[in-house]
Amino acid sequence: MNSKMTGFSLFQSTGLADIVGVCIILSIALGAFSLMWMDYKNYLEEYDNKHFHVLDFVLKEQLYIFIFLVFAFLVGGEMLLDAYM
C-alpha cells in the first residue's frame, strides 16, 4: 500500500468541503427567502388594496420564518461544535 494514505480520513474537513458547504447553506437560505417572498406576493395580489408592510410580512410568513431560524440555529450550532472539536 501507499504510505501517503496512512493519515487519510474520509471525514477530514478540507478547504473545498467548507466552501461547498457554505455555498449549499447560502443557496438553501436564498431559496427559502424567495419562496417566502413569492408566497407573500401572491397574498398581496389576492387583496388588491393591500400594500407591503414589514410587520404584515412577518405575521403572514411566521411559520416559514420560524423554520428558517431553526435551520439557521442548527447549522450555526453544528458549525460551532465543529470549530471547537
Side-chain angles (χ1 to χ4, degrees):
M1 281 199 107
N2 192 354
S3 64
K4 291 182 181 179
M5 297 295 286
T6 315
F8 179 75
S9 171
L10 184 61
F11 300 108
Q12 182 179 2
S13 179
T14 62
L16 180 61
D18 292 339
I19 292 171
V20 170
V22 168
C23 289
I24 289 172
I25 291 169
L26 287 177
S27 65
I28 290 172
L30 288 174
F33 182 76
S34 67
L35 287 174
M36 283 191 295
W37 183 254
M38 288 189 317
D39 186 43
Y40 186 69
K41 197 164 109 175
N42 288 338
Y43 168 73
L44 288 179
E45 288 176 358
E46 289 176 10
Y47 302 100
D48 293 330
N49 59 352
K50 287 271 190 179
H51 297 288
F52 175 77
H53 297 288
V54 175
L55 182 61
D56 186 39
F57 175 74
V58 170
L59 290 176
K60 174 78 173 98
E61 303 297 325
Q62 63 185 345
L63 174 66
Y64 297 118
I65 292 171
F66 175 75
I67 292 171
F68 176 74
L69 290 176
V70 167
F71 174 75
F73 177 75
L74 289 174
V75 169
E78 188 66 32
M79 290 172 67
L80 283 175
L81 280 176
D82 188 45
Y84 288 111
M85 289 186 99

